[in-house]
Amino acid sequence: MTTRRPASLWRHHDFRQLWMGDTVSVFGAQFVGFAMPLMAVQLLGADAFQMGLLATLESLAFLLIGLPAGAWVDRWRKKTVLVLGDLTRAALLLTLPLAWLGGILSMPQLYVVAFAVGCITVFFDVANQSYLPELVEGEQISDGNGKLQASQQTAMVVGPAAAAAMVRWLGSPLTIAVTSICMALSSLFVSRIRHQEQAPDPAARRPLRTEIREGLAFVLGHPLLRRIVACTGLSNLASSAIFALFVLYALTTLDLAETTLGLVMSLGAVGGLLGAVSSGWFSRLVGEGRAIPVSAVLFGLASFAVPLASVLPTVPTLLVGNLVLSWAVVVYNIAQVSFRQRLCPKPLLGRMNASIRFLVWGPMPIGAFVGGILGQQLGVVPTLWIFAGISMAAAIPVLLSPLRGMRDLPRALDALAGDDAAAPAP
């Protein structure tokens, strides 16, 4: 008896709307992610500490409200969270170009907008990652994540170069105005999804603390998820410190023009696009379990390219390093996100994703803040070397784990595999 292959997700109306909304949104995020640091350095003269503080505030919400956000998202319709999230972020970002036009733009305003957008992003990201399993079948989740990652990596390839050209043409404030338009368009696409979510019964709700504890207990009680969280969290701590200083490092230490910086980031991000396209092939080649530690080692090694660019030919070193780093990070993310979505029962998805976001994104504001302080005290280049070493060490939890010898996810561990998933794997 032959099994019928699922229809292509490109024929799936709701997935197309989610994909189009996500694609427009990530392009906008690339614009603001490039333009806001340039605005801080070029228009407001930010130093290493201020850049570290700005990056800290961008991700601080994951540490402060990441856990209750998951329980709240599990109580709401995820489509509503996505639509309102994009509209609210669009309105907040629009205040920056308006303040610049009025001559009142300041670093405190950048701090406030970065923190507020970060708070909304907490809810948006948890809902976004929890929504895909609601729309597609279990065996299509990895394919869906791959297509979403392909869009994100395309945005990372095209976005920085396009943003650099736009900054040169319009200036960084008006580039951020374009971002707010992208966010509004994203909400329009998502609003067209036809799937009727069943809102959780309010009578079945338990105390928020109990629901948060369930999400954390599932993540920390699972031996594979614990190791994935440790690797991702430590890596994010290191990368947030590196990225917090990167624009300042590129413009001052390496003396790159913003167009060269945009080109380096865009060409380096080609690796991420290749990773999105090749992640399925790579997982089949080495195994879906082994893909996680192998890619973790590769992105740890590639992190050294950033400080090496100060002693080796700058542009080639950054290009090769970013190419390998982007490829490895995307392969890692597709493998581990698909892995954990399949490990988790659907009613726990929001809390599971929020718990993991809290544990792996919570270190990001800490890394950015410490990176800013060390960059001010020790210098930018020594600080980059320190955090490149931490990024390499992040691979240890998954490298020394059962994942290294696990080719496929055992059916008994797959919560979305069907009624027979509880049976021992043959």
Side-chain angles (χ1 to χ4, degrees):
M1 180 178 177
T2 59
T3 57
R4 184 173 59 88
R5 293 184 63 185
S8 168
L9 284 179
W10 297 125
R11 297 181 181 179
H12 193 299
H13 173 272
D14 288 350
F15 176 78
R16 287 201 313 270
Q17 303 307 312
L18 181 68
W19 174 79
M20 287 189 289
D22 189 71
T23 299
V24 174
S25 182
V26 295
F27 266 91
Q30 284 298 311
F31 284 0
V32 74
F34 187 87
M36 191 179 286
L38 283 176
M39 180 187 292
V41 173
Q42 295 181 329
L43 299 183
L44 301 174
D47 58 23
F49 175 76
Q50 289 174 312
M51 294 300 289
L53 182 58
L54 180 62
T56 298
L57 291 169
E58 287 175 344
S59 55
L60 184 60
F62 285 96
L63 186 60
L64 298 181
I65 60 172
L67 286 176
W72 282 324
V73 166
D74 276 341
R75 296 178 176 189
W76 301 332
R77 286 185 172 90
K78 297 172 181 64
K79 175 180 172 180
T80 303
V81 177
L82 296 176
V83 171
L84 291 180
D86 266 335
L87 289 175
T88 310
R89 289 191 296 181
L92 285 167
L93 290 169
L94 195 58
T95 66
L96 295 177
L98 291 176
W100 173 74
L101 289 171
I104 56 173
L105 181 67
S106 64
M107 283 301 298
Q109 183 184 359
L110 252 65
Y111 294 150
V112 170
V113 170
F115 178 69
V117 168
C119 288
I120 297 166
T121 300
V122 170
F123 292 94
F124 183 92
D125 283 357
V126 170
N128 197 36
Q129 284 209 338
S130 304
Y131 201 25
L132 180 64
E134 295 276 349
L135 301 181
V136 305
E137 298 298 325
E139 65 270 19
Q140 294 179 308
I141 289 175
S142 183
D143 183 28
N145 280 322
K147 287 177 168 56
L148 293 173
Q149 279 286 330
S151 295
Q152 293 171 16
Q153 295 309 310
T154 301
M156 291 182 70
V157 171
V158 178
M166 197 170 294
V167 167
R168 179 60 66 96
W169 182 40
L170 297 176
S172 51
L174 295 183
T175 300
I176 291 179
V178 173
T179 298
S180 68
I181 297 172
C182 291
M183 297 292 183
L185 281 175
S186 173
S187 68
L188 175 64
F189 287 121
V190 175
S191 69
R192 289 166 49 85
I193 291 176
R194 297 170 185 163
H195 172 72
Q196 296 297 317
E197 272 184 275
Q198 200 66 27
D201 183 5
R205 289 178 183 171
R206 288 158 299 153
L208 191 64
R209 182 178 299 177
T210 301
E211 296 193 347
I212 292 172
R213 188 163 54 242
E214 283 183 350
L216 270 177
F218 178 78
V219 173
L220 296 178
H222 198 292
L224 296 178
L225 286 182
R226 270 204 311 268
R227 291 179 176 275
I228 290 171
V229 164
C231 172
T232 312
L234 193 56
S235 174
N236 282 347
L237 182 142
S239 64
S240 63
I242 293 171
F243 293 149
L245 299 174
F246 184 68
V247 171
L248 182 66
Y249 169 66
L251 296 181
T252 58
T253 304
L254 302 181
D255 200 27
L256 298 179
E258 65 266 24
T259 49
T260 306
L261 175 61
L263 187 62
V264 165
M265 293 173 68
S266 287
L267 293 177
V270 170
L273 181 58
L274 295 174
V277 176
S278 65
S279 62
W281 166 82
F282 185 74
S283 291
R284 290 190 297 272
L285 178 68
V286 304
E288 62 180 349
R290 284 195 288 264
I292 295 173
V294 171
S295 55
V297 170
L298 288 174
F299 69 63
L301 288 170
S303 299
F304 286 100
V306 177
L308 277 171
S310 63
V311 293
L312 297 178
T314 300
V315 173
T317 303
L318 288 177
L319 280 177
V320 173
N322 283 344
L323 194 74
V324 176
L325 179 69
S326 299
W327 181 88
V329 166
V330 169
V331 169
Y332 174 86
N333 281 335
I334 291 175
Q336 62 94 6
V337 168
S338 301
F339 206 75
R340 73 187 198 218
Q341 284 174 337
R342 291 173 59 193
L343 288 170
C344 182
K346 284 186 178 181
L348 270 173
L349 278 169
R351 279 165 283 170
M352 180 273 290
N353 282 322
S355 297
I356 286 184
R357 282 296 173 114
F358 169 75
L359 294 168
V360 305
W361 286 51
M364 291 176 66
I366 299 171
F369 189 72
V370 173
I373 292 176
L374 291 181
Q376 193 80 356
Q377 299 298 320
L378 303 179
V380 171
V381 176
T383 301
L384 293 175
W385 280 109
I386 291 170
F387 283 100
I390 294 174
S391 182
M392 185 69 251
I396 294 174
V398 291
L399 189 61
L400 304 179
S401 79
L403 290 166
R404 189 180 60 184
M406 185 181 292
R407 179 164 188 84
D408 300 311
L409 175 63
R411 193 168 176 79
L413 298 180
D414 191 342
L416 304 182
D419 293 337
D420 60 339

